[in-house]
Amino acid sequence: MAFNATLETSDDIAKITLSGELDASTASELKAKVEEAAAQNPKSLVLMMADLEYMASAGLRVLIFAKQKMGAVNIYIVGAQKDTVLETIIKTGFHHSVILLDEYDAAKIGKA
């Protein structure tokens, strides 16, 4: 499945919805969306990952880039698939740097 990343912003929240496979050949697309989101100075970055089927180490590097680029902004990872994407995030310890949510709830974003 082809990779896709779309950015929406509202109420100081930048939300990037990811689908498909995030690997070395597609990581630059996500990096561009992160840079676009960072330029808008949001208070929270939400990564919607329910439709992300696979994430290689290149994708993880972009998540680390997002954390570094956006500084004190809370990063939420929503709906990551347990056997593929979430496992990679947990095994690398990156789950300590983000907030994991099963479902998107705008009321909870920014409250953590």
Side-chain angles (χ1 to χ4, degrees):
M1 178 182 207
F3 177 75
N4 189 40
T6 57
L7 172 64
E8 303 171 52
T9 56
S10 65
D11 300 326
D12 293 326
I13 297 172
K15 182 167 60 168
I16 301 175
T17 303
L18 310 172
S19 63
E21 297 183 358
L22 178 55
D23 57 23
S25 66
T26 58
S28 61
E29 293 176 51
L30 177 56
K31 185 176 181 190
K33 291 296 179 190
V34 167
E35 289 175 332
E36 186 179 339
Q40 297 178 30
N41 297 314
K43 292 185 176 158
S44 300
L45 174 63
V46 178
L47 300 172
M48 303 295 293
M49 294 190 170
D51 294 328
L52 188 64
E53 297 173 359
Y54 172 79
M55 182 173 65
S57 60
L60 189 63
R61 284 191 294 275
V62 176
L63 297 184
I64 293 166
F65 166 80
K67 186 68 177 167
Q68 293 170 339
K69 177 89 174 164
M70 300 185 97
V73 169
N74 283 330
I75 297 179
Y76 298 83
I77 293 180
V78 180
Q81 295 183 24
K82 290 186 179 4
D83 293 335
T84 53
V85 177
L86 187 58
E87 186 175 312
T88 300
I89 292 168
I90 291 172
K91 281 184 176 180
T92 59
F94 192 65
H95 66 291
H96 296 295
S97 300
V98 296
I99 300 163
L100 300 175
L101 298 175
D102 291 330
E103 295 179 3
Y104 179 76
D105 182 351
K108 289 183 182 178
I109 304 300
K111 307 272 191 261

